[in-house]
Amino acid sequence: CMREKRLFPAKRIFSEMDKRRIPKCVRTYTSMMHLYGRNKKWIKVTRLYREMKEQNIQPTELTFSALIG
């Protein structure tokens, strides 16, 4: 599926941010949550939300939209 093809490069970049010590922001998390949601990977969406909250990053309306699906 085309959507899954977009997910893999995004996952790689997202994890690369940690390796390079590049801080993630609400936009980064929300973008990944939307991608996972479009691929029906709801557990990943909720994990990212929890991780975001643990990093003291405040969700936006778009973040909650990604959570709702």
Side-chain angles (χ1 to χ4, degrees):
C1 177
M2 187 61 165
R3 288 182 181 165
E4 284 191 30
K5 288 181 183 177
R6 292 181 189 162
L7 181 61
F8 293 116
K11 283 172 44 176
R12 190 181 71 246
I13 293 166
F14 192 75
S15 65
E16 186 74 22
M17 291 177 75
D18 289 331
K19 293 175 188 169
R20 294 180 182 218
R21 299 178 189 212
I22 299 170
K24 296 174 186 168
C25 66
V26 67
R27 289 182 184 157
T28 312
Y29 277 101
T30 301
S31 295
M32 284 304 299
M33 290 166 68
H34 273 290
L35 273 173
Y36 279 125
R38 280 192 248 149
N39 285 280
K40 301 187 184 340
K41 298 187 181 296
W42 304 113
I43 293 171
K44 297 270 191 182
V45 173
T46 56
R47 283 184 187 156
L48 280 178
Y49 178 73
R50 278 190 238 122
E51 179 182 318
M52 186 177 87
K53 294 295 286 179
E54 288 171 3
Q55 297 296 320
N56 293 315
I57 298 172
Q58 295 302 310
T60 65
E61 291 176 9
L62 292 174
T63 308
F64 287 111
S65 174
L67 280 169
I68 294 169

